[in-house]
Amino acid sequence: MISKFATVYAGHIDFPDHGQNATPANERRFTNDQLAGVYDKLEAIAKTMDRLGFDTLWLAEHHFQHEGYEALPNILMCAVHLAHVTKQLKIGCGFNITPMWHPLRLAEDFATADILTKGRTVFGVGRGYHSREVETFGAPIIDQNANRELFEEQVEILFKAFNEESFAHKGKHYTLPPEVPYRGYQLKELTLVPQPVNKPIECWQPVVSASPRGLDFMVKYDIKGAVGGGAATMQAGPIQAYKDAAARAGKDWKLGENLMLGVHGLIAKTREEAVRRLTPIYEEHVKMFAPLGFVPGLTPDQIAAVARRGGWDAAGVPKVEHFMGLGSWFAGTSDDLVAFLKGIEEKYPGMEHINFASPLTTPKDLMLEQFQIVAEEVMPHFRGKPSVHAAAAK
């Protein structure tokens, strides 16, 4: 049953213009002062979510984005700071892009954050998707097989370091420890210092292709999955596949258990108003993500069109209503969202986590407004309390 509400903030600045007729994504360049301003915004988001009773604020690790869409390069440092200006909100790593790290540095940094935040930092791993980021740090991403191979070995090392008093590892990419003399003896094993103190480690990973290999790997390490909405999810494809992977490992998980469903959306007094306000923000999302392959169904000509100003209708670029119909985007009233989520809850009885996200480039004030609406008019329907509107009507 749904009980835990989250959102994700990848570190976008407040853009001066939005939509298909605004500045093309590849032409955006902001000053360092503008990019650094995301940290004040991040703190305001965290404090508001904490006050309103949200469960987790997920952050995304990204690098070199002068375009201003995703400007948080070190989310573990952010988590430590945010835990000290909030009281109960968890800060989720959504996600640490593991191929850009040495796995033991990532393990040490997470363990430190785990201790300093008293368990309020949630671990997360991902393979990455920006070639500018991953390849710059010396790891493969264009070669997807090499990327997955590296990622899986790194995750194996991470869990050894977290859970074993001392460990050694020998694989294709890492020999740990190195075979060297140390202070009069031959080095044979290592101990992570410190180790996380809040165990078992709660770890999350995005579910993208939902391949049996990938899901079996997640289940092996009890890694929880973040799934996006959309046609496949609404038809239970990746959610059923994750449950099936658990069953192959001898684990009897309910449909939706250990998964979080993500939906982009905006709430307003009417559906029409919500669609109107959401449309330019959706179009910015498409400008950013279509060239990266994260807007399903677009043709090469449509992807080329979104890189230019205007002309989307002529190119047949889908409107936000198309993805609303698939379940990956939402625009409507708070009552509409309650009904939508009740349908999810009925379909996936094991699902506890919902990530209702203000889409990339949503202005700060609008994000804070949306958190207030969700907390007052949606969350109470899933926590056994009357909503503010329902209470006022009595």
Side-chain angles (χ1 to χ4, degrees):
M1 305 293 283
I2 294 171
S3 61
K4 299 177 180 179
F5 284 78
T7 197
V8 60
Y9 176 57
H12 63 264
I13 74 164
D14 272 17
F15 279 31
D17 56 359
H18 287 83
Q20 61 172 295
N21 295 309
T23 308
N26 287 344
E27 295 178 18
R28 292 195 181 277
R29 178 176 284 273
F30 295 98
T31 68
N32 188 63
D33 285 346
Q34 289 173 305
L35 296 168
V38 300
Y39 294 102
D40 287 339
K41 183 175 180 177
L42 171 62
E43 186 171 314
I45 289 168
K47 287 180 175 178
T48 300
M49 292 180 65
D50 186 54
R51 174 175 58 83
L52 293 172
F54 281 81
D55 183 73
T56 306
L57 168 59
W58 291 93
L59 309 179
E61 177 192 351
H62 290 291
H63 303 267
F64 317 125
Q65 288 206 24
H66 61 263
E67 302 92 348
Y69 289 98
E70 300 166 318
L72 299 177
N74 195 314
I75 55 180
L76 285 166
M77 288 184 69
C78 291
V80 171
H81 171 69
L82 295 176
H84 287 83
V85 297
T86 57
K87 295 180 179 179
Q88 59 189 10
L89 183 71
K90 294 179 182 178
I91 311 300
C93 298
F95 299 86
N96 286 122
I97 305 306
T98 314
M100 296 192 290
W101 289 75
H102 189 291
L104 294 185
R105 286 304 303 266
L106 179 55
E108 287 178 337
D109 282 11
F110 171 72
T112 302
D114 175 68
I115 293 166
L116 293 177
T117 65
K118 296 179 170 57
R120 286 203 280 138
T121 302
V122 183
F123 194 50
V125 293
R127 293 171 52 196
Y129 55 87
H130 288 285
S131 58
R132 180 172 62 183
E133 297 179 355
V134 181
E135 299 276 348
T136 295
F137 280 105
I141 188 66
I142 294 173
D143 185 338
Q144 285 284 298
N145 290 331
N147 173 273
R148 176 176 286 283
E149 184 182 70
L150 173 62
F151 171 80
E152 290 183 348
E153 185 174 346
Q154 290 177 317
V155 171
E156 179 183 350
I157 292 167
L158 283 163
F159 279 92
K160 284 182 177 180
F162 287 154
N163 296 318
E164 298 178 16
E165 183 177 351
S166 60
F167 69 94
H169 174 87
K170 191 164 187 176
K172 179 176 180 178
H173 300 92
Y174 299 94
T175 297
L176 302 170
E179 297 173 354
V180 297
Y182 176 71
R183 245 171 24 194
Y185 65 91
Q186 194 70 17
L187 201 55
K188 298 290 186 184
E189 59 186 18
L190 296 170
T191 297
L192 189 71
V193 178
Q195 287 186 318
V197 298
N198 296 280
K199 297 183 180 181
I201 305 298
E202 180 182 355
C203 182
W204 291 78
Q205 181 182 332
V207 176
V208 182
S209 66
S211 69
R213 172 184 169 175
L215 295 176
D216 287 343
F217 180 82
M218 291 175 67
V219 169
K220 175 182 178 181
Y221 292 100
D222 285 326
I223 298 174
K224 300 179 180 182
V227 297
T233 300
M234 295 304 107
Q235 295 166 12
I239 297 177
Q240 183 63 54
Y242 185 76
K243 183 179 187 300
D244 293 343
R248 289 193 293 272
K251 300 175 182 181
D252 184 18
W253 291 351
K254 296 178 182 177
L255 193 61
E257 187 173 353
N258 293 321
L259 292 174
M260 173 172 58
L261 179 65
V263 179
H264 302 290
L266 190 145
I267 302 168
K269 292 181 180 179
T270 66
R271 181 183 184 276
E272 292 72 24
E273 179 190 354
V275 170
R276 177 181 57 78
R277 297 174 74 187
L278 183 61
T279 292
I281 300 171
Y282 157 78
E283 290 174 352
E284 276 302 322
H285 173 97
V286 174
K287 288 159 61 175
M288 171 62 175
F289 288 112
L292 300 171
F294 286 101
V295 182
L298 265 65
T299 67
D301 287 345
Q302 290 169 340
I303 292 173
V306 304
R308 302 186 294 267
R309 289 181 187 263
W312 289 24
D313 288 347
V317 178
K319 297 180 182 297
V320 68
E321 290 92 334
H322 169 74
F323 291 102
M324 288 167 56
L326 296 179
S328 54
W329 286 71
F330 170 87
T333 67
S334 57
D335 288 341
D336 293 335
L337 182 57
V338 170
F340 174 79
L341 294 179
K342 288 293 184 182
I344 295 295
E345 191 174 56
E346 182 177 350
K347 193 167 189 177
Y348 307 122
M351 186 169 289
E352 297 180 79
H353 300 263
I354 290 294
N355 181 349
F356 184 71
S358 293
L360 204 69
T361 79
T362 302
K364 170 186 169 182
D365 290 346
L366 181 53
M367 292 181 71
L368 301 185
E369 170 197 300
Q370 293 292 298
F371 299 150
Q372 190 86 25
I373 295 170
V374 171
E376 293 182 352
E377 301 177 23
V378 178
M379 285 162 49
H381 291 273
F382 299 88
R383 293 180 173 176
K385 301 176 183 178
S387 69
V388 172
H389 280 195
K394 290 183 179 179

